[in-house]
């Protein structure tokens, strides 16, 4: 007959329990309102990093003042007009040179006569010269107006002996004109100057310098252009400076420079 008595030490067998992934708890490893610092100093957690309290100032390109902008525009306009004007002048000058082939005139001293050369009682030196200068115009289509205000002078070693006015006249193309000019002057260092000139006269070579500063105007066909300045420099060598005697010009070399 079976006995209803339960044994005193029942055996317990292990039971495998499968937990569904859907029922797996989703508790975060780090609480929401807590933070854990890592070894590198960064804060780990779900919360975003805190926003910096102060930001560097934002640099924006400020607009230039209105007055400065207007000034820059004015300077640019003036510069553009100046460049345009220079280009126009250059083009006109190039056309002028290509069409008319301008050439500077040539000069020569043909005669030098001393009408008075003396030492005064106050030891000043008075000189009166008469010079003949020949000008040649080599241009075929250009005439030259020698305006009023021209000056001629004779110098000895940077000392002015005499001066006078160069006459005004018109020189047509391919024309040669000889002009006589009277010069006179007085120098207060006459005694010293006379001794130096006498020493040069004994050697038979007296260096003189003749200068001409002449304003001229250029005529192209029927149009008269603006004025320019002819600067003529002639190096002369004469044998003597005796009054009323024939003076021989042993050497003569004239150069011209045009000044705008």
């Amino acid at each position: 007959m079976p006995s209803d008595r339960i044994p005193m030490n029942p055996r317990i067998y292990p039971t495998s329990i499968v937990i569904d992934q859907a029922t797996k708890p989703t508790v975060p490893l780090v609480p929401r309102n807590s933070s854990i610092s890592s070894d590198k100093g960064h804060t780990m957690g779900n919360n975003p990093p805190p926003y910096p309290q102060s930001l560097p100032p934002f640099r924006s390109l400020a607009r230039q003042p209105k007055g400065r902008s207007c000034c820059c525009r004015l300077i640019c306009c003036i510069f553009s007009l100046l460049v345009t004007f220079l280009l126009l002048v250059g083009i006109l000058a190039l056309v002028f040179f290509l069409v008319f082939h301008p050439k500077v005139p040539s000069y020569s001293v043909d005669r030098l006569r001393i009408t008075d050369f003396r030492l005064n009682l106050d030891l000043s030196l008075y000189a009166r010269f008469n010079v003949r200068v020949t000008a040649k115009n080599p241009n075929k289509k250009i005439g030259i107006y020698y305006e009023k205000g021209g000056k001629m002078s004779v110098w000895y070693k940077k000392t002015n002996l005499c001066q006078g006015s160069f006459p005004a006249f018109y020189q047509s193309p391919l024309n040669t004109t000889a002009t006589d000019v009277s010069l006179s002057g007085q120098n207060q260092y006459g005694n010293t100057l006379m001794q130096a000139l006498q020493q040069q006269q004994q050697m038979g070579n007296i260096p003189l310098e003749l200068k001409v500063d002449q304003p001229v105007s250029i005529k192209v066909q029927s149009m008269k252009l603006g004025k320019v300045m002819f600067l003529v420099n002639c190096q002369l060598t004469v044998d003597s400076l005796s009054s009323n005697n024939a003076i021989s010009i042993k050497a003569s070399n004239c150069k011209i420079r045009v000044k705008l």
Side-chain angles (χ1 to χ4, degrees), residues 77-92:
C77 291
I78 295 175
F79 181 76
S80 300
L81 291 176
L82 180 61
V83 172
T84 304
F85 175 75
L86 293 177
L87 288 176
L88 182 60
V89 172
I91 293 173
L92 292 177

Side-chain angles (χ1 to χ4, degrees), residues 34 85 133 177 200 216 248:
S34 62
F85 175 75
V133 178
T177 303
Q200 291 286 343
V216 300
S248 174

Side-chain angles (χ1 to χ4, degrees), residues 86-102 141-142 220-221 223 225:
L86 293 177
L87 288 176
L88 182 60
V89 172
I91 293 173
L92 292 177
L94 180 61
V95 172
F96 178 79
F97 274 87
L98 293 177
V99 174
F100 296 101
H101 303 286
K141 301 179 181 180
I142 299 176
V220 180
Q221 295 181 354
M223 182 174 57
L225 303 181

Side-chain angles (χ1 to χ4, degrees), residues 136-202:
K136 296 181 180 181
N137 182 10
N139 297 283
K140 298 180 180 180
K141 301 179 181 180
I142 299 176
I144 302 175
Y145 284 97
Y146 287 81
E147 305 286 353
K148 295 181 179 180
K151 298 179 180 180
M152 178 185 289
S153 57
V154 176
W155 298 71
Y156 170 74
K157 292 185 178 180
K158 298 182 179 181
T159 301
N160 190 355
L161 297 178
C162 53
Q163 60 276 337
S165 299
F166 199 84
F169 63 94
Y170 171 71
Q171 190 175 29
S172 58
L174 299 177
N175 177 265
T176 300
T177 303
T179 305
D180 291 328
V181 184
S182 296
L183 311 175
S184 61
Q186 188 171 352
N187 192 286
Q188 61 179 347
Y189 302 104
N191 190 18
T192 304
L193 187 58
M194 180 65 78
Q195 293 178 1
L197 290 172
Q198 289 177 351
Q199 292 178 0
Q200 291 286 343
Q201 186 169 341
Q202 292 177 359

